[in-house]
């Protein structure tokens, strides 16, 4: 062996810390949350932590002090603390793409040095933020005019994946703080319906498009951008000069941006050390800044930064992302729970579960280690959810009485942004009641004591012992949203570090995209092409070509 070849890391399941957790799980598998609370009446106050304005109650998770200690020992064995420092230092921890992972630099304060290949990137970040703020001030103040001198009254963000999910989630989450005279729309799907419906009631002469594509080559984004270009130019008799007044870009490809007709002075860049799903606080957040203003966007960044600092420095026993990440490993790998329902009891967070789907499942949906070895343990769980109380009348039945184990994250706020009688109290009462019911359920004896007929008793028993965490903040502010997003970003990091996977690449999305380019050409041609797919795909292509309306 070459002396400089690093020693092979022991497989995760071969580590003594993993085996200790397996033995512990076998011992406590039959324990019910009722027993956990009976043995420790103060558990609800003790198993909680607070940071960056967020309060985490994890007492209704199926863990005890031994579980948490063993999980911390597993984190130490996996080098979690060293991995955290490597990320913050700008080391190339995205190994398959040989890139640093520095979304934390997007919210670093001025004066902090973050070195990437000998370059301090923080001044560059603040330079882009300053340009964004100046542009946002012009648009929000009416100084930026369209091609015929009219101010902007509508902003349409065109992007997909991280260039859409982050901006649309942030806009919906912070709509309370947005400039209401401006209309905001978001187009992502290559399905023409998305663009047509987003622009149906807009005036092209008062509409500004933000085209978000780092390479300015993303298929869906460019298709929608060219549709927007045609729609916009039709209002100006095809005058190409109008493009520069109605389009700006978030990209790094100046040549293609200029070719499209966008003035590169209105191109806002970001860097290859920012993954798309981690980019909502970069220039990808331009639509957010236009909606809420530069000062509120600064508060959003401050919330991110507060959670970053907490994650980097707090001991794991009080570290919110570490606790959530490690408990997630416990649920996934030792309790067999492969699904997490994210349940915000706040209507403004209605797009938050969809945002988390990309953040978590694109990051940790991996089946090989960083060394390319097939894992022999479960990795990223499925994330999904809806706002409460809507979900209660939809899928909570399965969570309470179904055969599948599902972990839940409840999210709530103490102050209402839209006070309406006692409705906020009713909303939060439902949050607390659902987490209580999931944990403790209702026994057959309790059901019988209510006078329930014997035949109905089995139907009205709630098994309980369904784990959940509750995250509370005082109020949904830009700062709170930043802290909440960073909490989940770092939770993903913790789990990826334990599972020894690269949480920052996404090769799984590439194959389908490559195949789609070939298939699109086969669908577009007037003459039937010679098809070389499998028999199913060939038959589908032929049926589509035969039955579609003439293009």
């Amino acid at each position: 062996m070459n002396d400089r070849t690093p020693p092979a890391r022991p497989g995760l399941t071969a580590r003594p810390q993993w085996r200790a957790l397996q033995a512990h799980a076998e011992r406590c598998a039959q324990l019910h949350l009722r027993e956990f609370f009976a043995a420790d009446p103060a558990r609800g106050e003790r198993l909680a932590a607070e940071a960056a304005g967020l309060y985490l109650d994890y007492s209704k998770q199926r863990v005890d002090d031994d579980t948490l200690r063993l999980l911390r020992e597993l984190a130490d064995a996996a080098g979690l603390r060293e991995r955290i420092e490597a990320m913050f230092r700008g080391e190339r921890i995205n190994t398959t793409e040989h890139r640093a992972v520095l979304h934390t630099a997007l919210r670093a304060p001025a004066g902090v040095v973050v070195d990437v290949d000998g370059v301090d990137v923080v001044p560059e970040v603040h330079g882009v933020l300053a340009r964004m703020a100046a542009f946002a001030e012009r648009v929000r103040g009416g100084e930026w005019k369209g091609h015929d001198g009219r101010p902007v009254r509508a902003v349409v963000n065109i992007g997909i994946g991280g260039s859409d999910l982050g901006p649309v989630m942030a806009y919906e989450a912070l709509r309370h703080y947005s400039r209401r005279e401006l209309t905001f729309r978001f187009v992502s799907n290559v399905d023409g319906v998305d663009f047509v419906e987003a622009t149906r009631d807009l005036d092209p002469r008062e509409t500004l498009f933000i085209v978000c594509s780092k390479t300015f080559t993303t298929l869906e984004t460019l298709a929608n951008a060219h549709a927007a270009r045609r729609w916009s130019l039709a209002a100006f008799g095809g005058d190409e000069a109008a493009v520069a007044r109605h389009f700006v870009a978030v990209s790094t490809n100046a040549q293609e941006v200029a070719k499209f007709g966008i003035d590169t002075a209105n191109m806002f860049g970001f860097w290859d050390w920012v993954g798309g799903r981690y980019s909502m606080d970069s220039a990808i957040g331009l639509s957010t800044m236009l909606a809420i203003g530069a000062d509120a966007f600064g508060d959003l960044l401050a919330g991110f930064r507060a959670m970053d600092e907490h994650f980097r420095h707090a001991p794991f026993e009080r570290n919110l992302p570490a606790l959530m990440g490690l408990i997630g490993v416990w649920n996934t790998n030792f309790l067999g729970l492969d699904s997490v329902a994210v349940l915000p009891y706040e209507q403004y967070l209605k797009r938050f579960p969809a945002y988390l789907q990309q953040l978590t499942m694109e990051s940790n949906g991996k089946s090989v280690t960083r060394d390319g070895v097939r894992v022999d343990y479960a990795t990223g769980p499925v994330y999904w959810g809806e706002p409460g109380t809507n979900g209660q009348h939809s899928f909570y039945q399965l969570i309470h009485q179904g055969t599948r184990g599902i972990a839940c994250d409840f999210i709530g706020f103490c102050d209402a942004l839209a006070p309406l009688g006692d409705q906020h109290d009713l909303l939060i009462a439902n949050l607390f009641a659902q987490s209580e019911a999931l944990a403790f359920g209702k026994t057959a004896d309790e059901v019988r004591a209510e006078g329930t007929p014997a035949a109905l008793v089995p139907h009205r028993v709630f098994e309980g012992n369904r784990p959940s965490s509750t995250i509370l903040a005082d109020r949904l502010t830009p700062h709170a949203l930043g802290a909440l997003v960073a909490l989940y970003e770092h939770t993903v990091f913790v789990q990826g570090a334990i599972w020894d996977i690269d949480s920052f690449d996404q090769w799984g999305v590439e194959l389908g995209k490559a195949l789609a380019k070939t298939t699109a050409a086969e669908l577009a041609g007037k003459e039937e092409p010679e098809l070389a797919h499998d028999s199913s795909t060939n038959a589908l292509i032929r049926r589509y070509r035969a039955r579609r309306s003439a293009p």
Side-chain angles (χ1 to χ4, degrees), residues 147 229 232-233 239-248 260-262:
H147 189 53
R229 193 180 191 277
S232 185
L233 289 180
D239 186 351
E240 298 275 343
V243 174
R245 301 305 303 172
H246 291 270
F247 288 81
V248 299
F260 186 89
I262 297 172

Side-chain angles (χ1 to χ4, degrees), residues 138-151:
R138 293 179 69 193
V139 173
R140 287 165 58 85
E143 182 184 345
W144 178 276
K145 298 293 196 296
H147 189 53
D148 66 357
R150 302 188 192 197

Side-chain angles (χ1 to χ4, degrees), residues 293-306:
D295 289 345
F297 195 85
D299 292 340
L300 176 72
L301 297 180
F304 275 102
R305 185 162 57 246

Side-chain angles (χ1 to χ4, degrees), residues 105-106 108 110 120-135 267-269 271 283 289:
L106 297 173
D120 179 8
V121 301
V122 175
E124 297 179 22
V125 169
H126 282 264
V128 172
L129 287 171
R131 290 182 58 234
M132 290 168 60
F135 179 74
M267 183 182 85
F268 303 87
W271 305 269
M289 188 182 284

